[in-house]
Amino acid sequence: MTCTAVVLCAMGLLGGTASQAYADPKPGDARDAKPGAERGADSAEASLKRLQDVRKKIDALYRKAERATDAYNGAKEQVELQQKEIVKLARNIDRTQQRLAALKRQAGALASAQYRGGGMPSEAKLMLGADSGAFLDDATLVRKAQQAARGVITQLSRTKGELEDYSQAATDRWERLEAHRKKKESARRDIKKKIDAAKKLESRLAAKEKDRLKKLEDEEAFRTQQKWLDSGVLKEISNKASRFGKKAVAYATSQIGKDYVWGAEGPDTFDCSGLTLRAWQAGGTTIPRTSQEQWRQLHRVAIKDMRPGDLIIYFSDASHVGMYLGDGAIVHAPRPGRQVTITGAGSMPILGVVRPDADAPERDLGHR
């Protein structure tokens, strides 16, 4: 009897739900035009589409921020370089000024000596002098003195020219320094604007939606990585790390879990190129600061020839970089709000691969 009651109750509920779902909708009540399950599916689909749109907007903002970060890092590097050049020029100017002062004193002493000699013409001295031999000795000394005076004047003129050149170079450096400072500040504002906008978008999401957003990112990365692997690229990659590359890989992987912060070079936080910079310093090689300069200056290798420790440059503007670990994986600092992590080497559009230790002697390239 209890079972029968439960079955009847269930049938009643199903029947009621069905009759309510398929009854003619009341005027103006369009929500009841679809079955509950279908409305739920539509709602879930709309929610997913909204999240995908949010993810695309956030990705676009962080990509723009990453490009601005590269501009910021490049300007920062140039500021530091110009400051060093200005210090060097200032030292040269100081040394040249001291040399110029010494030459002026020497020229003054020569002028005084000439004045004390009365400036008498050589012919008059020969005619009035009793000892022609002494005169000739004096004439030889005079010629040497004149030659010395001309040498001092030449040095004086050349030193003045050097001083003017150094001063002009210092002025040029200051102008470049100010230009790079302005560029750096502009990039900093641009980065903050983009990151703040991305964070604002994320802050509007509920906790469950944020989790779903992270899953969508991971799913997209997985699909891209799988497509890259399906191309058969790993079948061609079999190289081993150099001993320098091993050290760089060891450093980079030991930073896993540390936060991404734009412009950071460690030791507690990193941006993408800050991580590769420090990793390769640990490997004994100094490389450019930004991913764009790493792409421009370092030796390029084909994907099939890459080995652990090589740097993979991403996106058409070379705005992101990761370090290849082998087996189709990289370690990288992804973006603000994320930590240094391992992901698929093909999870982003690859621009190319560069090798920091390409110039190292072959005998130093150890193998695993």
Side-chain angles (χ1 to χ4, degrees):
M1 290 178 62
T2 303
C3 290
T4 304
V6 170
V7 171
L8 290 172
C9 182
M11 288 177 66
L13 286 172
L14 289 172
T17 303
S19 60
Q20 185 178 0
Y22 289 101
D24 291 334
K26 296 177 182 178
D29 193 2
R31 289 175 304 173
D32 293 332
K34 293 182 179 180
E38 193 173 346
R39 285 202 309 273
D42 288 348
S43 176
E45 186 177 344
S47 177
L48 178 61
K49 187 178 183 306
R50 185 176 72 87
L51 270 180
Q52 287 174 333
D53 290 341
V54 169
R55 182 184 65 80
K56 289 177 182 177
K57 288 178 182 177
I58 289 174
D59 282 350
L61 286 167
Y62 279 129
R63 287 275 300 108
K64 289 177 182 177
E66 197 161 37
R67 284 196 292 272
T69 297
D70 232 33
Y72 171 88
N73 288 335
K76 180 183 175 185
E77 190 174 38
Q78 287 299 315
V79 164
E80 292 169 356
L81 178 63
Q82 297 301 335
Q83 286 173 334
K84 289 178 182 177
E85 287 293 324
I86 288 169
V87 169
K88 184 179 177 181
L89 283 167
R91 288 172 180 163
N92 286 337
I93 288 170
D94 183 58
R95 283 194 297 268
T96 306
Q97 284 176 332
Q98 290 179 22
R99 191 164 72 249
L100 186 61
L103 287 168
K104 283 181 177 179
R105 287 193 298 270
Q106 193 174 351
L110 288 169
S112 297
Q114 185 180 7
Y115 175 77
R116 287 194 299 271
M120 186 181 293
S122 302
E123 294 83 356
K125 288 183 179 180
L126 180 60
M127 290 175 67
L128 295 172
D131 188 348
S132 60
F135 169 77
L136 291 174
D137 289 340
D138 290 342
T140 301
L141 291 173
V142 167
R143 279 197 301 273
K144 288 182 178 179
Q146 287 173 342
Q147 289 173 355
R150 281 195 294 269
V152 169
I153 292 169
T154 301
Q155 287 184 54
L156 195 59
S157 177
R158 185 168 57 245
T159 304
K160 281 183 176 179
E162 288 178 1
L163 187 59
E164 289 173 1
D165 290 343
Y166 286 140
S167 298
Q168 184 59 51
T171 301
D172 292 342
R173 292 290 190 280
W174 272 112
E175 289 174 355
R176 291 180 196 175
L177 178 64
E178 286 306 306
H180 288 306
R181 278 176 175 163
K182 289 177 182 177
K183 183 179 178 182
K184 176 183 167 185
E185 183 59 26
S186 175
R188 189 192 67 79
R189 288 194 300 268
D190 195 22
I191 293 163
K192 188 175 186 305
K193 182 180 176 182
K194 299 293 188 299
I195 291 176
D196 286 347
K199 286 180 177 178
K200 187 175 181 181
L201 275 173
E202 281 191 281
S203 69
R204 294 173 181 169
L205 301 175
K208 287 184 178 180
E209 288 181 311
K210 288 179 182 178
D211 290 341
R212 180 59 178 145
L213 182 67
K214 179 67 170 63
K215 288 178 181 177
L216 285 174
E217 289 179 1
D218 294 341
E219 287 168 3
E220 178 61 26
F222 177 81
R223 280 194 296 271
T224 308
Q225 168 74 354
Q226 195 60 48
K227 184 178 178 181
W228 184 68
L229 293 176
D230 289 344
S231 70
V233 66
L234 280 188
K235 294 177 183 177
E236 299 181 336
I237 302 172
S238 59
N239 297 310
K240 306 298 182 183
S242 69
R243 68 184 181 88
F244 306 107
K246 286 181 184 178
K247 291 179 180 178
V249 166
Y251 180 93
T253 52
S254 68
Q255 311 310 312
I256 290 173
K258 292 185 177 180
D259 288 337
Y260 176 107
V261 173
W262 62 265
E265 301 174 7
D268 300 318
T269 56
F270 297 89
D271 63 16
C272 66
S273 56
L275 177 65
T276 54
L277 170 76
R278 294 304 182 203
W280 267 103
Q281 280 182 347
T285 301
T286 298
I287 64 175
R289 171 63 180 89
T290 69
S291 58
Q292 291 174 343
E293 286 303 302
Q294 289 170 8
W295 172 244
R296 191 174 72 85
Q297 295 186 36
L298 297 180
H299 179 74
R300 298 182 186 180
V301 297
I303 290 178
K304 66 182 180 63
D305 296 325
M306 69 180 176
R307 65 190 183 200
D310 287 350
L311 306 181
I312 302 181
I313 309 297
Y314 293 96
F315 303 105
S316 59
D317 56 2
S319 58
H320 191 74
V321 60
M323 179 178 289
Y324 187 60
L325 299 178
D327 298 325
I330 61 164
V331 58
H332 73 143
R335 66 167 178 81
R338 298 288 185 260
Q339 291 74 40
V340 176
T341 188
I342 292 175
T343 191
S347 60
M348 294 167 283
I350 295 175
L351 177 61
V353 181
V354 293
R355 179 165 296 162
D357 62 340
D359 296 330
E362 194 63 32
R363 57 187 171 81
D364 288 335
L365 301 182
H367 297 285
R368 291 192 296 196

